[in-house]
Amino acid sequence: MRVVFMGTPEFAVPSLTALAEAGHQIPLVFTRPDAVRGRGKKLVPSPIKQKAAELGIPVFETSRMTEEAKEALRAAAPDVICVVAYGCILPDDVLEAAPLGAVNVHASLLPRWRGAAPIQRSILAGEAQTGVSIMRVAHELDAGAWCAQAHVEIGEKGCEQVTSELAEAGAAALVEALPRLADGTAEWHEQDEAGVTFAAKVRKDEMRLDPADAAAVNARRVQASGDTAPARASVAGKGVRVMSARVAEGQGLAPGQVVAQKKRVLLGCADGALEVLSVKPDGKKEMPAASWAAGLRGDLAWERI
């Protein structure tokens, strides 16, 4: 099949790679333009642009579907358009540019968690598993029918690991679904509106750890955190990002209390304690929590930052 691919972040890379390895013709890749990423001030190409370059596939960079972009799409003559976290609204004439339309790899088990942050929301909600859906691109946000889903267990995995596993699962599901699209055997399931939930972008203030909350709630904040919305707290009057943590079973500390002993660091919560495993103090590198706690001075209390 001739596939035009649209994607931008690292999450989309396994899908592009899988399509190429499956032997599909990929005449063109669309991605968002180079942007300032990380701490540097230099423009950096998107992960998809870098992968397309490795594969020798032409790239069209755009943040919206201009007439020039639409002309390039039509010239590529795709059988299907595959979209994976592109970050651009696709108008009707784009969706109609391919006989088989446009399909999207969405990181949730639709109809649950439509929207921008499905992975973080599933973790924050304490769900045991999440997944990916291969869906038709529709006008309403993530509202299209789906033809394939794959499940991924969450457990105590961090957001980065869950995201990586979902990316791989989505790539496999996409490659398996395309032949069924081509021969008309794909079974499409309309989403049950009664089960719809929305995954709004995670705000930084949502990720602040709070001694007034349950230990499990704080642990899930750490689990779901990332560079754009880190799990932070103030300990002994200093800001710190908690990189990894878990609920400390059987530890009855008062909310706001800090205990550092026997190479364990415990933060008292509303119903017990959070064991901190690794941290990144403001202005410093990531380190084991025990090493960080050994240098704390003053009132060993903690609070919402």
Side-chain angles (χ1 to χ4, degrees), residues 12-184:
V13 171
S15 289
L16 177 58
T17 303
L19 289 169
E21 291 178 347
H24 293 288
Q25 299 178 55
I26 309 174
L28 187 62
V29 164
F30 283 83
T31 192
R32 292 180 67 85
D34 296 356
V36 176
R37 294 181 175 87
R39 292 187 175 183
K41 295 185 178 181
K42 295 182 179 180
L43 289 175
V44 178
S46 74
I48 279 296
K49 180 180 177 180
Q50 296 178 58
K51 175 52 68 172
E54 291 177 19
L55 297 172
I57 303 172
V59 174
F60 193 104
E61 297 178 62
T62 183
S63 56
R64 62 187 184 90
M65 297 307 294
T66 62
E67 287 305 316
E68 183 184 3
K70 294 175 185 178
E71 185 176 329
L73 173 61
R74 290 189 290 268
D79 296 312
V80 66
I81 301 168
C82 292
V83 185
V84 188
Y86 178 28
C88 178
I89 296 175
L90 303 181
D92 284 346
D93 52 353
V94 168
L95 302 180
E96 296 166 358
L100 297 177
V103 293
N104 179 51
V105 178
H106 181 72
S108 83
L109 297 171
L110 294 168
R112 191 155 180 79
W113 301 128
R114 295 180 185 177
I119 302 172
Q120 293 95 326
R121 291 298 173 191
S122 63
I123 294 173
L124 289 170
E127 296 176 354
Q129 65 177 5
T130 183
V132 290
S133 301
I134 308 301
M135 55 165 283
R136 284 193 181 115
V137 178
H139 287 293
E140 188 179 346
L141 179 66
D142 299 329
W146 58 270
C147 68
Q149 291 187 329
H151 294 69
V152 168
E153 296 299 317
I154 296 176
E156 295 185 352
K157 300 169 188 172
C159 188
E160 184 176 350
Q161 182 179 349
V162 174
T163 300
S164 177
E165 292 184 14
L166 287 170
E168 295 293 341
L174 176 63
V175 169
E176 291 175 5
L178 287 187
R180 297 198 295 274
L181 265 67
D183 65 20

